[in-house]
Amino acid sequence: LGDALRLDAEYGPAHLQRADVLANLGEFETAQGLDPLPSYERSVAAYGEALRRGHDVAGVYNNLATVQVRVGDVEAAKGVDARPRYRTAVEGFGEAIRRKPDQADSYDNRGTAWRRIGEAEVKWNADPREALGRALTDHGSALERNPGIASHWANRVAVWIRLAEAEPASGSHPGTQYRKAVEDLTEALRLDPGYVAAHRARGAVLLQIGETAALRGEDPRDGYRRALEDFEAVVQETPASVAALL
């Protein structure tokens, strides 16, 4: 790729391929506990070069915005206010949607970026509900366009949970959001019965429902029983995970 760029600095595909490789390298470095920020920043720059050279298609904007979210995650982990980075990602996903409005993935990804903004709002003592509401809208748009992807149902769950966490501050009861989270995870499991992460997440939500009921002086046993069923499913699907829980 370096030779291709030296021979023809205007060769857009080489910039695009370099951006993809650098994004993958950043993912690998993250998994290895290394600092992925330099790789991600170089990936962002390479995607920008590809766009300037005529590769202004939906997929490139989607990939660029996805890396921007990852950069934001690294910044947030370092205590930096990552909201500007996440908003840049939101704009990038918007460009992808403008070019390909029926692409469900771009809506789903933008919903995740809005959720990250909402989470950052909490960290920086701001009201997260506007950003979380936008996240819900985008995840809903993704599901309208392609309701058959289990992960899209699961991705919306994190927004319901964040909204439930925000409700006590407003004096409202979070039960509605928890129930909607369970419904989304149930649909994800209908589409993919072996979706272990969905079982684990639904068990955690049902446990929270049980604990909330107990705090309100209500009978928590139904939530606890259903949570246990999900956690037992996780153990059956991945026996090795038991060791990780001990």
Side-chain angles (χ1 to χ4, degrees):
L1 294 180
D3 289 339
L5 291 170
R6 281 190 291 273
L7 290 170
D8 185 359
E10 296 301 313
Y11 185 56
H15 288 284
L16 183 56
Q17 290 163 341
R18 184 171 68 170
D20 291 340
V21 170
L22 286 165
N24 290 338
L25 178 59
E27 283 190 73
F28 174 79
E29 290 167 338
T30 299
Q32 297 298 312
L34 304 173
D35 184 4
L37 192 57
S39 295
Y40 284 149
E41 292 282 23
R42 290 175 64 198
S43 178
V44 167
Y47 278 126
E49 292 297 328
L51 288 170
R52 281 189 285 275
R53 285 160 174 78
H55 286 264
D56 57 341
V57 296
V60 177
Y61 277 105
N62 186 73
N63 292 348
L64 169 57
T66 297
V67 177
Q68 294 279 20
V69 171
R70 294 174 187 165
V71 173
D73 291 345
V74 175
E75 291 175 341
K78 293 180 177 181
V80 175
D81 183 357
R83 286 175 292 182
R85 183 74 70 166
Y86 292 139
R87 291 189 181 277
T88 298
V90 164
E91 293 172 2
F93 290 128
E95 290 295 329
I97 290 168
R98 188 167 67 84
R99 286 162 174 77
K100 200 169 183 180
D102 291 330
Q103 183 66 38
D105 285 348
S106 294
Y107 286 98
D108 187 66
N109 291 336
R110 190 170 68 176
T112 296
W114 276 118
R115 172 171 61 84
R116 292 288 206 280
I117 292 172
E119 291 168 345
E121 298 278 35
V122 173
K123 182 176 180 179
W124 295 94
N125 299 315
D127 190 338
R129 285 175 292 179
E130 179 182 354
L132 294 175
R134 290 177 179 268
L136 277 184
T137 298
D138 274 336
H139 285 305
S141 295
L143 291 167
E144 287 173 5
R145 285 160 176 77
N146 192 344
I149 300 178
S151 62
H152 286 183
W153 290 94
N155 288 343
R156 188 167 66 173
V157 168
V159 184
W160 291 126
I161 299 303
R162 295 295 176 261
L163 282 168
E165 292 169 348
E167 288 303 330
S170 65
S172 300
H173 190 278
T176 299
Q177 286 78 17
Y178 288 139
R179 285 193 296 273
K180 289 183 178 295
V182 169
E183 290 170 3
D184 280 358
L185 288 165
T186 299
E187 180 61 18
L189 286 163
R190 186 188 69 80
L191 292 167
D192 183 1
Y195 196 168
V196 175
H199 272 298
R200 186 183 297 114
R202 190 172 66 176
V205 176
L206 288 165
L207 176 60
Q208 186 62 53
I209 288 173
E211 291 177 344
T212 301
L215 288 172
R216 293 171 61 87
E218 301 168 357
D219 189 343
R221 287 176 293 179
D222 182 62
Y224 291 155
R225 175 185 56 77
R226 295 171 64 195
L228 183 59
E229 291 173 356
D230 272 320
F231 291 136
E232 286 177 342
V234 172
V235 171
Q236 290 170 6
E237 291 283 345
T238 54
S241 67
V242 175
L245 296 173
L246 297 178

